[in-house]
Amino acid sequence: MAEFLDLETQDAVRMPWNVLPGTKQEAAQCVIPISAIYTPIKPLPNTTPLLPYSPLRCRNCRSVLNPFSIVDFSTKIWICSFCLHRNHFPLQYQQSISEDNLPAELFHQYTTIEYEPQNERPTSQVIPQVFFFVVDTCMIEEEIGYLRSGLSRVIGEIPENSLVGLITFGRYVCVHELGFFGKIPKVYVFNGTKEITKDQVLEQMGFFLKKPRPATGVVAGVRDGLSQESISRFLLPAAECEFALNSVLDELQKDPWPVPADQRAPRCTGTALTVAAHLLGVCVPGSGARIMAFLGGPATEGPGSIVSKALSEPIRSHKDLDKDDAPYFHKAVKLYEGLTKQLIHQGHVLDVFACALDQVGVAELKIAVEKTGGLVVLAESFGHSVFKDSLLRVFQSGDNDLGLSSNGIFEVNFSKDIKIQGVLGPCASLEKKGPLCSDTTIGQGGTTAWKMCGLDKSTSLCLIFDIVKKENPDIGYECIWLASGTSIDLLHIICSSYQHSNGQMRLRATTLSRRWVTGPEKIQASLFDLIAGFDQEAAAVVMGRLVSFKMETEAEFDPIRWLDKSLIHLCSRFGDYQKDSPSSFVLSPRLAIIPQFVFNLRRSQFVQVFNNSPDETAYFRMVMNRENVANSVVMIQPSLISYAFNSGAEPALLDVASIAADRILLLDSYFTVVVFAQLLQAPLDDANAIVKERFPVPRVVICDQHGSQARFLLAKLNPSATYNSDAPPTPGGDVLFTDDVSFEIFLDHLQRLAVQ
Amino acid sequence: MATPGGPRPGNLPPNYNPNSIADNLHNLQINRPNQPPYPGNGPRGPPPAFGQQPNSQSQPFPSSGPYSSSPFSGPSRPGPPPPGVAPRGAGPPSSGPPHGSMPPFMAANRPTGGGGGGTSSSNAPPMPASRPLTSGPLPSSAPVGPPGPFASSPLTSGPPGPPPNVGGGSMSNGPPTFGSQSMQGGPQYPSANVRPRPSTGPPPAPQTMSSFLGGPADNQPRGPVPPFSAPPRGMQPPTGPPPFSAQGQGAPHPQGSPFGAQPWQMQSRQNAPPPPISGSAQPPRMFGMPPPLPNQQSMATISPATGPSGNAVSGPSKIDPNQIPRPVPSSSVLLHETRQGNQANPPPPATSEFIARDTGNCSPRYMRSTINQIPCTSDLLNTSGMQLALLVQPLALPHPSEEPIQIVDFGEGGPVRCSRCKGYINPFMKFVDQGRRFICNFCGFTDETPRDYQCNLGPDGRRRDADERPELCRGTVEFVATREFLVRDPMPAVFFFLIDVSMNAVQTGATAGACSAISRVIADLPEGPRTFVGIATFDSTVHFYNLKRALQQPLMLIVPDVEDVYTPLQTDVVVPLSECRQHLDLLLESIPTMFQNNKTADSAFGAGMKAAFLAMKSTGGKLLVFQSVLPSVGIAALSAREAEGRTNISAGDKEPHRLLQPVDKTMKTMAIEFAEYQVSVDVFITTQSYVDIASISVIPKTTGGKIYYYHPFSALSDPAKLYNDLRWNVTRPQGFEAVMRVRCSQGLQVQEYSGNFCKRIPTDVDLPAVDCDKSIMVTLKHDDKLPDGTECSFQCAILYTTIYGQRRIRVSTLSLPCTTMLSNLFRSADLDTQFSCFLKQAANEISSAPLLQVRDRVTDLCINILHSYRKFCATVSSSGQLILPEALKLLPLYTLALIKSIGLRTDGRIDDRSFWINYVSALSVQLAIPLVYPRMMSIHDLNSKEMDGSVIPSPIPLSSEHVSDDGIYLLENGEDCLIYIGSSVDPDITQKLFGISSASEIPSQFVLEQYDNPLSKRLHEVVNEIRSQRCNYLRLRLCKKGDPSGMMFFSYMVEDKSSNGLSYVEFLVHVHRQIQSKMT
């Protein structure tokens, strides 16, 4: 395991298969796809320098000079490791480069390196980060109060030069002019029931009053025809509008339209977000901006509504979605698809903070949030720490800051034996089709470049590859590779030009190489090699993303069956057993815990949608889809730590048997942290440590055995002892009231089926 | 009270035949009986038959010395002060220093107003208080108002109080709903009531004809003047007696039936036998009657001229232009009892000042008929050429000395009504069967009297309690509406101000003017929880303001989508006045600066109105829109049609002018929706350019509002008028969410209503708002024959909500005799009302018929009537004579004036014409005449003239012959006021009056300032008096010869020959010739 972590530290990549199967067929037999989970802006080790210049690119394939490139120092030529094109070094390299004097990007340990080109843009033109608050006002006064205090808390934290804008909405969309300087404050009020176009925003908000509209061309931003004055009515540096913002927030009122007792409040979430997107598109296109939506209930008005106003009509459930009985769903999704496209085009992010006991429509908003790389937080109330602390984290600087960056473009380049099927994760295809694209696509596929409007330190993409080596490869060819000892494949991953939170553009290049194994004649050897390169955690995470994706996109998909089949196939291919003898079944330690991961994945909220609303499911999946491997593993299989008076913390089995009279348990299921029986300080401290570095901030539950809150723990435990077990529970232990199969039974079945 | 037992018509000497004199005078050439004297003319010799009328030549509105200084005596017109005159009559706020932006005029007046009238004017809504302020320099002597906002309500203040006969059991005299009712009350009026002048009798009506015969110009017979008129004039009025105690004045007070309507009965169809007495008969009944000569047949002998050759030139020369009929204003207050001796009493002219006493019929202010006897058959009516119509002005402003309308509360059961036709109980319902049943005077149905309403009948067949119950003895009463009249709670008084802040409006000062006016008017709105105010502004977007008190300052809410507007908030944009005064002040102060750099030239007028409407939809209310440019964007945007209009102007004669019609139905649709939700719109157009009033006016017209037009708007001189118009608009007596219906006796039915209202079902008119200035024309038609010798009743019932949120039904009933005799129709014709109807009908037609046709129709109407009279009623005389019925002798003059009026001219601006059409639509009778035949007077010689008690100098005929180069003349038509400065006026006079030394220095924008000299003071008095009479702050413009302003002035000289029509004399000739050709 450790070597995988080292690799991750160096290159921010985890791959289920670190040794690649040599042919398409072998790859198919591997069950778990050849893939990589890449965290584009994971902080690099301190030793890695930040290069203050632009990377050198191959003139043919645009890939970046890297340690695997062959450099001819005498002719000052480098050969691209992907296309083998010969490139001359530019002048400044030519002068200094030699075998003893290499530029950092050619150092072997810097397979991942970051460039921050200077002087590309004068500092004055750097457009600071933009935060556009879109605030729901259809809430009870109490919630408004919480939200108000939550927002006022972060206003002070916003970097001084960041631009801030504000929209409040209920039945109507109110765009607040924050630059009113002592005059009467102004609010533009848009009808929530109507779709509003960008042109209407331009016309109706008076952007052309002082300056006539250009006859042709797209109008956007200062460069393209808008006066700074007209823009700074709505978007102002935080330092300048703090007073205005606070006074608007102080007077923030519940949406004044009366709501009959049998109706939901009229809430035009869709229109509000559209207006916000238009306004940002008009004012600051292309520069980093986040729309932060604070939603307190379901959208009921105008496009994007998810349910009618009548309270008698329930909000769609998973069952409704399955039966296609959610009349509003598709319309809303369509609206948000359009919005997504626009936001991606503009390079803007949508964050959603949904705090309500009811659903607010996260399921519909998912596409927009996910494709723009937005943050999502789901809580029951704006007063809940999950919301308050998460919001604060967004603006927090220091060790635990999220490292929010924007406008990333993510490109890949490969050796010709590999193609890309697609990416699962928070990004959007830039539709740059090329020979590297596989015919089968998954997720954001059919392209070699993606847009990541928003990304942070832990944002991780899951790339799924295709092996296209021929079935009967040319022996000689193969030999060459083997002989030369370079049986490696090169994946070249470039995360180019993201806007760092300091406003500068950076470019990061990661060059990976992995070994091939192949040859049916050497089955054992290659199996051994493959197993040696198997990363179970990465595999579990890839499975998790894949199963979620399939559940959302494939009709009639049976996730349990698919997971079971995959696991059985995996075990029968890589397990060590005699046919039809379950007892002989042994798994290599490299594969030992994958059944447990799959068992817990089957029971997780990603697969089990029962008891979860579509909003919650969407939320969980979105978070998993953007998190790195370590965090995702916790989501799939919570970690359980036990504390005792006489010993330190030690990991415990995620099993009901771990409950014992003298043990204090700390369960971390990512979204929830449960302290079971609070008697010691240590578990609390550990819980707080988790809370500090996690986003969204988890809900901390402190409970006692048999307390109602204990369900948060019990639900996650392996039901090895249930109410109808034969053996009575150990004293101080517990039984679960469930009919779910326990892990032991699951494993029995697995062994039986694997050996067939 | 005076008359009931008085002489009935029947009792009158039969010899009282008006025609008698006519016969006697037949041979005179042309007589100008009542011609107002020219300045400088001495008293004319009295005609032999009649006594001299000493004051005949004095101004029509005498103001005798002692009173002239008193605010109350001066204004002869009951009208409330033109709001303007005493600008901001000193409400509490006014006591401060004059507003900086105020035009000098206003500033000058303010302090005075503040001094005396202070308290009284603050209570704006109850009108009376503000009335005294009318005369600019308000005396601080104020007997005026008891302090306190409602001081003027009759209950608290007036000695007269509720009339003694009030106390009927079931009836209660409710709290004053609004000023109008309480008007009479105030003690402040005694002087007015008791104006010492002999109240010059009711004018012309009684006589059927007067003949004006050619005679020496200088000593024409004057109107018969009661001998006594002079003496009493000087007397100080006794303060004690109730307003009507005219007896105090000594003389002639009409014991007998003063205004001998009676003679008519006697008069047979043949006009022949003129009993000799005419002269002697007159004085008693006519006392103080200045104007028309009784009993004369008017005729002009123009035969020689026209007869032979049609040589027009010679014709007119035979007519002395000084002798032809012209209006002679009555110079003093008339006292009018609506019924006398159980007979309807023909009303005094609408243009005169009168005090009506409701003795069964409603006061003519509320309802008057074109003919005061109803023809029994439609044939008879057709033969006369006249038309039968009522002009209804349900909330008309009463004279201060009139008794307030009594309020009757029937409790739970509601007012007694006919169960078949739903007519309301009135004095003409006949109780039978010991009062157990009553017969409806409309449908004839016999109803059971409700048990608790039963009362025995007296020997005369009347209920014994008839005199105690207002609904049984008064023509106009107000019932408290019961539940069944309410579909919802009465609406609060909502005032929503919508202000144009587009570039043009801001730069011309219109926005600032509007804001300052609103800001000051808000102080005059009734305090209390039922008054709501909202404000919005608009340019290419609509801006609302959240005025909620909790906010630190108002919050502007911009509605950018002007194609599909909405109200941004349901609450908080219309808020109780008491909760938002500070915000309002702050806001109105900052709006002009806030938008001072506004570069938006577009105006979303329609969208603004729609949005404001949505904001007030739940309650309804008044929407006051200030608009400055052509609405160019958003809902109901308009285009500058005027440009295309100029190119095809020639088509104007052959077909109706398209630009006078609304461009499309959008506005109409909006307006109907507004009306449905009880939103009434008034539009104040402060513009420099074409705004397409034809299209815009649809909204105010349909919602019971009005267009105010300030063109070209001047930031210097117009804000004063704007403020006063606005103030009057919101403070005058008015009602909301009204429904009106007119019922009439079997045999007649209502044909059509016409005015500013919305009509959804044929029988009722819906008035989102109704006020004292609005009148509605109701045309009638026969559907059966009426029995001769009976009376025919008309009842106008209007259900409305007062500004204080009470639901009331005001019921006015008028009962008129039926007749089968044509001559009776002519004798009882009401010229003012008839002409108003002509005017309104012509205005209605202008937009749908070619102009030529409209003019011809107007002329034909006149000719037909005169022809009918000539043919059927006039005594046989030489065919060369033009004979005019006395009652209608001014018809040709008015017809001529109408043809030359702005609306019927081709050369006017389109907007001016559209405005004129719209203005006429709801115009009251008393303002209809001056509109077409304005009043002109000389003012350079104000000091030298003997005023005889009237503030206003006597009028001069509208002929350029009477305008000399060394004079200064003032001409007013109830809306505008032009001051013409001749080219060779004594510089001393111009210096005194205007602060300039010659006509050439006339500024284009003019503000009348008061200078410290008697002449200037007199001019101010005159102007203020006129404003008070007209209830309007007339816009003053200076005119001089040779420039457009001078042209405009002379375009009012309707007696001149001009490109628009014949001269008066020529027109008479024309009419005569037409009649002659018809006769043959």
Side-chain angles (χ1 to χ4, degrees), chain A residues 603-624:
Chain A
R603 286 163 52 87
S604 73
Q605 64 265 54
F606 307 112
V607 175
Q608 296 293 346
V609 295
F610 178 75
N611 233 355
N612 282 326
S613 67
D615 268 14
E616 287 169 310
T617 306
Y619 170 59
F620 296 138
R621 286 179 178 159
M622 272 192 279
V623 174
M624 181 173 69

Side-chain angles (χ1 to χ4, degrees), chain B residues 586-641:
Chain B
L586 177 69
L587 179 63
L588 289 167
E589 199 176 299
S590 43
I591 284 178
T593 48
M594 219 155 55
F595 292 99
Q596 67 187 356
N597 295 320
N598 197 348
K599 295 280 184 296
T600 314
D602 285 328
S603 152
F605 167 74
M609 280 194 301
K610 184 75 185 279
F613 157 70
L614 292 171
M616 53 200 299
K617 192 173 170 182
S618 59
T619 52
K622 281 177 80 86
L623 174 57
L624 302 137
V625 189
F626 298 83
Q627 193 232 345
S628 294
V629 289
L630 186 72
S632 53
V633 292
I635 302 170
L638 300 170
S639 58
R641 297 191 290 163

Side-chain angles (χ1 to χ4, degrees), chain A residues 553-722:
Chain A
T553 52
E554 291 179 19
E556 308 290 316
F557 177 73
D558 184 346
I560 302 288
R561 210 176 137 76
W562 183 83
L563 281 173
D564 288 352
K565 258 170 69 183
S566 305
L567 183 63
I568 292 164
H569 284 161
L570 189 73
C571 289
S572 31
R573 172 129 173 85
F574 296 101
D576 198 4
Y577 57 89
Q578 290 165 351
K579 198 161 166 53
D580 292 333
S581 166
S583 57
S584 66
F585 184 85
V586 176
L587 272 179
S588 139
R590 290 288 192 195
L591 287 144
I593 44 177
I594 190 82
Q596 203 178 333
F597 282 142
V598 173
F599 172 76
N600 281 305
L601 182 59
R602 285 167 99 243
R603 286 163 52 87
S604 73
Q605 64 265 54
F606 307 112
V607 175
Q608 296 293 346
V609 295
F610 178 75
N611 233 355
N612 282 326
S613 67
D615 268 14
E616 287 169 310
T617 306
Y619 170 59
F620 296 138
R621 286 179 178 159
M622 272 192 279
V623 174
M624 181 173 69
N625 265 353
R626 68 194 312 277
E627 276 303 331
N628 59 24
V629 172
N631 282 335
S632 301
V633 165
V634 174
M635 294 179 214
I636 292 170
Q637 177 173 312
S639 77
L640 190 66
I641 300 170
S642 117
Y643 301 78
F645 293 104
N646 47 8
S647 64
E650 56 185 32
L653 266 185
L654 190 65
D655 193 308
V656 68
S658 300
I659 300 178
D662 59 344
R663 288 216 276 191
I664 294 152
L665 298 175
L666 173 67
L667 176 87
D668 177 9
S669 66
Y670 195 82
F671 298 103
T672 317
V673 173
V674 185
V675 177
F676 188 75
Q678 181 209 353
L679 294 167
L680 287 175
Q681 189 59 36
L684 279 183
D685 292 343
D686 289 357
N688 285 336
I690 293 171
V691 167
K692 264 205 188 109
E693 61 186 26
R694 184 165 291 169
F695 186 91
V697 171
R699 157 208 287 258
V700 177
V701 178
I702 293 168
C703 62
D704 288 321
Q705 193 173 2
H706 310 306
S708 67
Q709 302 289 297
R711 67 180 192 275
F712 287 103
L713 171 69
L714 299 181
K716 297 293 181 186
L717 298 180
N718 171 32
S720 62
T722 66

Side-chain angles (χ1 to χ4, degrees), chain B residues 1019-1036:
Chain B
L1019 177 58
H1020 266 262
E1021 283 168 21
V1022 170
V1023 170
N1024 286 341
E1025 174 61 18
I1026 292 172
R1027 286 172 169 164
S1028 130
Q1029 288 181 5
R1030 300 301 189 207
C1031 284
N1032 195 340
Y1033 186 93
L1034 307 169
R1035 193 178 190 192
L1036 281 174

Side-chain angles (χ1 to χ4, degrees), chain B residues 774-1067:
Chain B
K774 298 284 189 316
S775 89
I776 291 172
M777 177 171 72
V778 185
T779 52
L780 304 166
K781 68 176 178 195
H782 285 83
D783 56 5
D784 203 353
K785 199 167 175 295
L786 300 167
D788 191 11
T790 59
E791 290 206 339
C792 173
S793 301
F794 305 93
Q795 186 174 68
C796 163
I798 180 166
L799 171 67
Y800 70 104
T801 301
T802 68
I803 203 162
Y804 299 106
Q806 291 130 349
R807 200 83 172 128
R808 293 284 171 75
I809 310 154
R810 181 176 288 197
V811 176
S812 298
T813 312
L814 177 66
S815 185
L816 297 173
C818 301
T819 183
T820 52
M821 280 192 291
L822 195 58
S823 54
N824 284 351
L825 295 186
F826 283 105
R827 212 178 303 118
S828 61
D830 183 331
L831 172 66
D832 291 352
T833 314
Q834 268 195 18
F835 182 71
S836 298
C837 290
F838 286 171
L839 176 64
K840 284 163 190 264
Q841 283 163 349
N844 282 344
E845 273 173 36
I846 293 173
S847 55
S848 57
L851 199 53
L852 270 183
Q853 192 181 317
V854 178
R855 287 191 196 156
D856 288 348
R857 243 186 60 85
V858 169
T859 319
D860 287 348
L861 271 172
C862 170
I863 291 171
N864 288 344
I865 293 171
L866 298 182
H867 169 246
S868 168
Y869 179 74
R870 181 74 173 81
K871 186 170 176 189
F872 299 109
C873 301
T875 45
V876 182
S877 60
S878 80
S879 63
Q881 286 178 321
L882 172 61
I883 303 178
L884 307 175
E886 172 60 29
L888 299 175
K889 66 179 177 180
L890 292 171
L891 189 59
L893 176 60
Y894 289 164
T895 304
L896 175 66
L898 174 58
I899 289 170
K900 293 178 173 181
S901 64
I902 293 170
L904 274 72
R905 285 206 300 253
T906 44
D907 56 356
R909 292 175 62 254
I910 284 294
D911 266 356
D912 286 340
R913 296 179 61 195
S914 295
F915 171 71
W916 187 90
I917 292 169
N918 188 257
Y919 179 78
V920 163
S921 146
L923 197 61
S924 63
V925 184
Q926 62 267 31
L927 286 174
I929 306 298
L931 178 69
V932 292
Y933 194 86
R935 183 157 58 162
M936 177 164 79
M937 62 207 74
S938 62
I939 52 174
H940 54 277
D941 51 359
L942 278 176
N943 274 348
S944 56
K945 279 196 246 188
E946 265 308 307
M947 284 310 170
D948 288 339
S950 166
V951 175
I952 298 180
S954 53
I956 307 173
L958 293 176
S959 157
S960 48
E961 285 170 35
H962 297 94
V963 177
S964 77
D965 268 353
D966 56 359
I968 302 175
Y969 301 90
L970 184 149
L971 178 144
E972 63 90 11
N973 65 359
E975 179 71 9
D976 284 311
C977 185
L978 307 178
I979 296 180
Y980 175 81
I981 304 180
S983 50
S984 53
V985 183
D986 182 355
D988 181 47
I989 293 178
T990 52
Q991 187 66 44
K992 277 182 177 158
L993 284 177
F994 311 112
I996 53 173
S997 57
S998 81
S1000 56
E1001 291 175 35
I1002 292 176
S1004 58
Q1005 298 190 347
F1006 168 65
V1007 176
L1008 184 63
E1009 288 177 67
Q1010 185 167 345
Y1011 299 97
D1012 188 18
N1013 62 65
L1015 191 59
S1016 178
K1017 279 183 189 144
R1018 284 283 292 122
L1019 177 58
H1020 266 262
E1021 283 168 21
V1022 170
V1023 170
N1024 286 341
E1025 174 61 18
I1026 292 172
R1027 286 172 169 164
S1028 130
Q1029 288 181 5
R1030 300 301 189 207
C1031 284
N1032 195 340
Y1033 186 93
L1034 307 169
R1035 193 178 190 192
L1036 281 174
R1037 271 184 253 193
L1038 288 190
C1039 309
K1040 61 179 173 187
K1041 204 168 192 169
D1043 74 353
S1045 62
M1047 308 271 285
M1048 177 166 70
F1049 178 79
F1050 282 106
S1051 74
Y1052 283 104
M1053 298 298 117
V1054 295
E1055 294 188 15
D1056 287 357
K1057 184 179 172 70
S1058 75
S1059 60
N1060 289 307
L1062 305 170
S1063 73
Y1064 185 19
V1065 173
E1066 285 169 335
F1067 187 71

Side-chain angles (χ1 to χ4, degrees), chain A residues 172 177 180 182-191 194 200 204-205 209-210 247 251 253 256-258, chain B residues 541 551-561 564 566-571 587 590 594 597 599-600:
Chain A
Y172 292 128
E177 261 192 29
F180 57 86
K183 286 178 265 170
I184 287 184
K186 291 185 190 173
V187 179
Y188 285 82
V189 185
F190 290 89
N191 191 345
K194 269 181 81 172
Q200 278 172 325
Q204 298 180 350
M205 299 184 66
L209 287 185
K210 305 261 162 78
S247 66
E251 287 173 357
Q253 295 290 324
W257 292 88
Chain B
T541 54
L551 298 178
Q552 289 168 354
Q553 54 183 335
L555 170 68
M556 187 199 283
L557 301 157
I558 301 169
V559 175
D561 187 350
D564 180 14
Y566 36 87
T567 172
L569 286 175
Q570 194 179 38
T571 51
L587 179 63
S590 43
M594 219 155 55
N597 295 320
K599 295 280 184 296
T600 314

